Amino acid sequence: MKILVPVKRVVDYNVKVRVKSDGTGVDIANVKMSMNPFDEIAVEEAVRLKEAGVATEVVAVSCGVGACQETLRTAMAIGADRGILVETDAELQPLAVAKLLKAVCDKEQPQVVICGKQAIDDDANQTGQMLSALMGWPQATFASKVAVSAGKATVTREIDGGLETLEIALPAVVTTDLRLNEPRYATLPNIMKAKKKPLETIKPADLGVDVTPRLTTLKVVEPPKRSAGVMVADVAQLVDKLKNEAKVL
C-alpha cells in the first residue's frame, strides 16, 4: 500500500509574523520557515503505518517554490521514502493545490492520502476536502486515531460533541488533528540519509493544471491592539456599559 502525504512550507510557528508596510501580505523575508505542524503529524502517521507493516511506501509531495525541497527533505528525514516537488512561483490557493494533488494521485495511485487538516498560515482547512471531492474518494477529517486493514480505514475524529468513529473504504483522504500523534525528531543520521533519497521536480504545466489564482487579496492588516479593561463597581454598571457602550445587549 502506498501513502501520499502533502506537506506545506510555512512560516515557523514560533515566529511572530509581520505585515508588510504596503499591506499586500505577510513579510517572509529572512524569516525562519518550516513544515506545517499538521503536515508533520501526517508524515509521522504515515511512517508509523509503514513501520507497522500496513504500508510499503510513503511519498511526500509539496507544491510551491524551489525552497520547498527543504520541507520534503525534512519529511524524508522523518521517514518518507521519496519526495515530489510541484515547483511554481505562483500564489497557490487551496483549489489549485487540490488539483495539483489530484494529478499527482492519478500518476502515483496511492491507496491513502494523509494530510494536515489545515495550514497555519492561511488556516483555510479546504485542500483535503477539495481533493476528496475531485478524486471521488471518501474522506475522514480531523483524525485523532487511524487504523488501516483489509482495504478499509477506521478513523476516530474529533467533533464538537466529542468523538466520532468512521469506517471508510480505500482509497481515501484523511486529514490529521493535533492529538493523532507526537511527531519524532529527525536524527542526524536520518537527515544525512534523506539527502540521498530521490526527489522528483515537476511543473504544474507537466500535470496539465492551471494554478492561476481565483481570489485576490485586497489588503492585509494586523488585528487591533487589545485595549485595557475597565473595573466596574457592580452588576448594574456592567449591564449599563454592555448596553450603552459596547452595544451588545
Side-chain angles (χ1 to χ4, degrees), residues 52-63:
V54 175
T56 55
E57 185 181 27
V58 176
V59 182
V61 57
S62 188
C63 306

Side-chain angles (χ1 to χ4, degrees), residues 23-243:
T24 57
V26 173
D27 186 6
I28 59 172
N30 301 316
V31 170
K32 181 183 178 183
M33 307 292 284
S34 62
M35 187 191 303
N36 178 47
F38 290 104
D39 297 342
E40 200 171 358
I41 293 170
V43 175
E44 173 67 26
E45 190 65 21
V47 172
R48 290 188 185 188
L49 288 171
K50 183 187 175 186
E51 291 172 343
V54 175
T56 55
E57 185 181 27
V58 176
V59 182
V61 57
S62 188
C63 306
V65 297
C68 291
Q69 290 188 30
E70 300 172 10
T71 308
L72 288 170
R73 293 294 179 192
T74 301
M76 289 187 278
I78 294 173
D81 297 292
R82 58 188 174 93
I84 300 173
L85 172 61
V86 184
E87 187 176 5
T88 175
D89 292 328
E91 177 195 353
L92 292 177
Q93 295 173 351
L95 183 58
V97 175
K99 289 180 177 179
L100 291 172
L101 292 177
K102 178 186 184 301
V104 173
C105 286
D106 290 340
K107 176 184 175 184
E108 292 289 331
Q109 294 295 308
Q111 281 68 55
V112 183
V113 175
I114 304 179
C115 53
K117 70 172 184 178
Q118 63 196 78
I120 61 172
D121 52 2
D122 58 16
D123 269 342
N125 181 21
Q126 295 176 344
T127 303
Q129 292 88 328
M130 288 176 169
L131 175 61
S132 170
L134 291 172
M135 295 297 297
W137 290 357
Q139 61 175 309
T141 57
F142 314 138
S144 60
K145 185 178 179 181
V146 177
V148 179
S149 64
K152 294 183 179 180
T154 302
V155 180
T156 301
R157 58 188 301 268
E158 300 193 354
I159 58 176
D160 291 340
L163 299 176
E164 178 183 57
T165 301
L166 302 176
E167 184 179 81
I168 53 177
L170 302 183
V173 177
V174 176
T175 71
T176 63
D177 211 336
L178 276 175
R179 279 157 287 279
L180 180 58
N181 60 51
E182 184 72 30
R184 71 192 70 184
Y185 287 103
T187 62
L188 182 58
N190 287 336
I191 292 173
M192 300 305 293
K193 289 177 184 177
K195 293 181 179 180
K196 298 181 180 180
K197 291 183 179 180
L199 197 162
E200 179 186 1
T201 300
I202 54 179
K203 301 288 186 181
D206 299 333
L207 299 173
V209 177
D210 180 13
V211 296
T212 304
R214 302 160 69 94
L215 303 174
T216 302
T217 301
L218 300 180
K219 191 175 183 182
V220 177
V221 297
E222 291 189 11
K225 296 187 182 300
R226 182 179 295 180
S227 57
V230 177
M231 298 292 290
V232 295
D234 51 33
V235 174
Q237 187 179 359
L238 172 62
V239 172
D240 179 67
K241 286 185 175 293
L242 290 174
K243 184 177 181 180

